Amino acid sequence: MTTTGNKRRISRRGFILASGVVGAGALAAGATQVDWTDLIAAATRDPRSADTGVLVVCTLYGGNDGLNTVIPAADPAYQKARPDLAYQPHEVLDLGDGLGLNPGMKGLKKLWDDKRLAVVRGVGYPKPDHSHFRSMAIWQTASPDSPQPTGWLGRWLDVTGDDPLRAVSIEPVLPPLMAGQRAAGATLPVTGLKLPNGTVGKAFSLLGQPEAGESPDRARVARSIADLHTTATKLGPAVKPSGANKGQLAAQLDVVAGLVEAGVPTRAYSVSLGGFDTHADEKGTQQRLLTELDDALSAFVDRVRGKKVVVLVYSEFGRRVGANASDGTDHGTAGPVFVIGDGVNGGFYGEQPSLTDLDNGDLKESTDFRDVYATMLRDVLGEDPGKILAGHDTTVPGLL
């Protein structure tokens, strides 16, 4: 991206480079925009078998505070570290083992009581990174040691076939986790297909024009951008927003539930909820977000009951143990991961991180996040995790 006077001129090269390695990989892989008609046609042509597992990955962007989600309210170290942010024992929804759910999560408490909610504790990776971008890239590529241009579900697509309808993101932009080397998932934006307008929109449209002598990858990116504009013009109005009075995540999960009920052959979905970067005034903001998460997940899980659907909920990191001076918390490390569904063996997995044995003020991770992914790949998607996670095939025993 360059600047000339007051006008911004966007070059395709600049756009790709500015989007980062992972973003460029996603674009180069050629994300496909689809609409409801495409997916229903796929369900008629190639319906998913009733005994085939479906994975729904729910990303909480911003770094959710795990200690105020699954709360050690009776631990004196917790109360001492965040006196103005801490919940009292009588406020939390008791899960046993000295832990309780945030009071905004009554629906998940019911799922816990029904043995359909598993909480994997202390999930993270060695040498944690406090950067949102880097840590999210690590989670979405499943590569904590070095940058990786493909996402973990993108690599699953690479080894199982290149049909983009096997992995669908209910978001406007394909997340890196669904970008492979040869294949990429599809996107079905729940709010319709909206592209920028004005000067920026015109510049973005120009990126879709072919250029003489460009590389195959750049040509593919150009075609993707051109296809995006064509799709937005012709098909955008056909994608109806779902649940106009519901929250962002509830609307996404409404779409997923409809596709599951229709027998669409998609095996993996991506949905998300943002706003968890709570550096200030955290308590009210986070409880509101967790209530939205709880309402959306509870309704979705009840709607797909009896079907082989598993929901995985994660965030790029937790928060530091101690509160900051703004009644918030700063970027931390390990946090809890939720796994929800009829096939889930509810309960706790992994060890609860100590609040007194810290790493420079941060929790020490007790479960490698790739163990959770390996479990999803093996037990939900039916694939050897070692092929996708660079040989990592350790799972969470008994989770599914």
Side-chain angles (χ1 to χ4, degrees):
M1 184 178 299
T2 60
T3 301
T4 303
N6 293 326
K7 297 181 179 179
R8 303 176 90 192
R9 184 170 65 84
I10 304 174
S11 72
R12 188 185 307 157
R13 174 183 172 78
F15 177 80
I16 294 171
L17 293 176
S19 67
V21 174
V22 174
L27 285 170
T32 303
Q33 289 273 353
V34 295
D35 74 348
W36 184 272
T37 304
D38 296 326
L39 290 160
I40 297 303
T44 303
R45 185 175 63 249
D46 180 26
R48 189 189 69 258
S49 170
D51 61 357
T52 300
V54 173
L55 175 64
V56 181
V57 178
C58 179
T59 301
L60 307 181
Y61 285 101
N64 178 43
D65 183 4
L67 281 176
N68 271 11
T69 302
V70 179
I71 305 169
D75 189 330
Y78 165 77
Q79 297 290 339
K80 182 179 180 181
R82 42 176 68 186
D84 295 327
L85 284 183
Y87 287 91
Q88 299 305 308
H90 70 275
E91 296 179 291
V92 304
L93 308 172
D94 185 42
L95 301 179
D97 282 3
L99 297 170
L101 283 174
N102 184 286
M105 309 185 83
K106 294 181 175 61
L108 263 62
K109 174 61 165 59
K110 182 176 183 299
L111 293 172
W112 173 269
D113 292 340
D114 290 344
K115 308 296 183 187
R116 290 190 286 160
L117 167 64
V119 179
V120 187
R121 300 178 291 193
V123 184
Y125 53 87
K127 300 178 182 178
D129 196 302
H130 288 153
S131 158
H132 288 293
F133 178 83
R134 178 64 190 136
S135 194
M136 185 57 78
I138 287 171
W139 274 86
Q140 296 213 3
T141 63
S143 180
D145 300 322
S146 59
Q148 160 69 259
T150 57
W152 67 284
L153 287 175
R155 296 196 295 277
W156 168 73
L157 281 173
D158 281 342
V159 303
T160 58
D162 58 2
D163 182 357
L165 297 187
R166 289 169 60 80
V168 173
S169 170
I170 314 298
E171 297 154 294
V173 177
L174 188 76
L177 81 161
M178 286 188 167
Q181 185 66 38
R182 298 185 304 277
T187 59
L188 176 67
V190 70
T191 55
L193 306 176
K194 296 180 180 178
L195 296 179
N197 50 27
T199 303
V200 173
K202 184 177 180 180
F204 183 51
S205 177
L206 291 174
L207 298 179
Q209 294 184 1
E211 294 178 0
E214 62 187 353
S215 69
D217 280 349
R218 289 189 186 179
R220 194 173 182 184
V221 171
R223 287 197 300 274
S224 296
I225 294 173
D227 289 346
L228 179 61
H229 281 83
T230 300
T231 304
T233 301
K234 295 184 176 180
L235 302 181
V239 180
K240 304 295 184 185
S242 175
N245 295 321
K246 297 182 179 180
Q248 170 193 353
L249 181 61
Q252 294 174 58
L253 288 172
D254 263 358
V255 174
V256 175
L259 295 173
V260 169
E261 290 166 345
V264 166
T266 302
R267 299 288 309 280
Y269 293 93
S270 172
V271 296
S272 63
L273 180 65
F276 287 91
D277 196 15
T278 48
H279 289 282
D281 301 324
E282 173 182 307
K283 199 168 184 178
T285 300
Q286 192 207 18
Q287 184 164 332
R288 174 180 56 77
L289 289 168
L290 291 179
T291 301
E292 180 178 347
L293 173 71
D294 181 85
D295 289 346
L297 288 175
S298 301
F300 174 75
V301 172
D302 282 345
R303 183 170 166 183
V304 299
R305 187 153 199 185
K307 298 178 171 60
K308 295 192 66 173
V309 177
V310 173
V311 184
L312 167 67
V313 185
Y314 78 99
S315 193
E316 69 263 39
F317 44 58
R319 317 295 295 189
R320 289 177 71 79
V321 174
N324 61 27
S326 302
D327 290 334
T329 52
D330 297 326
H331 302 175
T333 52
V337 164
F338 293 140
V339 182
I340 309 167
D342 284 2
V344 174
N345 295 314
F348 286 124
Y349 295 83
E351 295 183 9
Q352 178 68 13
S354 169
L355 294 181
T356 54
D357 181 18
L358 303 176
D359 181 6
N360 192 29
D362 283 330
L363 298 175
K364 295 180 178 178
E365 58 104 2
S366 57
T367 303
D368 191 309
F369 75 112
R370 291 169 295 180
D371 295 358
V372 181
Y373 287 178
T375 308
M376 300 300 114
L377 289 165
R378 187 192 66 182
D379 295 339
V380 181
L381 300 179
E383 190 54 64
D384 175 5
K387 294 180 181 177
I388 294 151
L389 302 177
H392 188 104
D393 58 4
T394 304
T395 59
V396 180
L399 179 59
L400 294 170

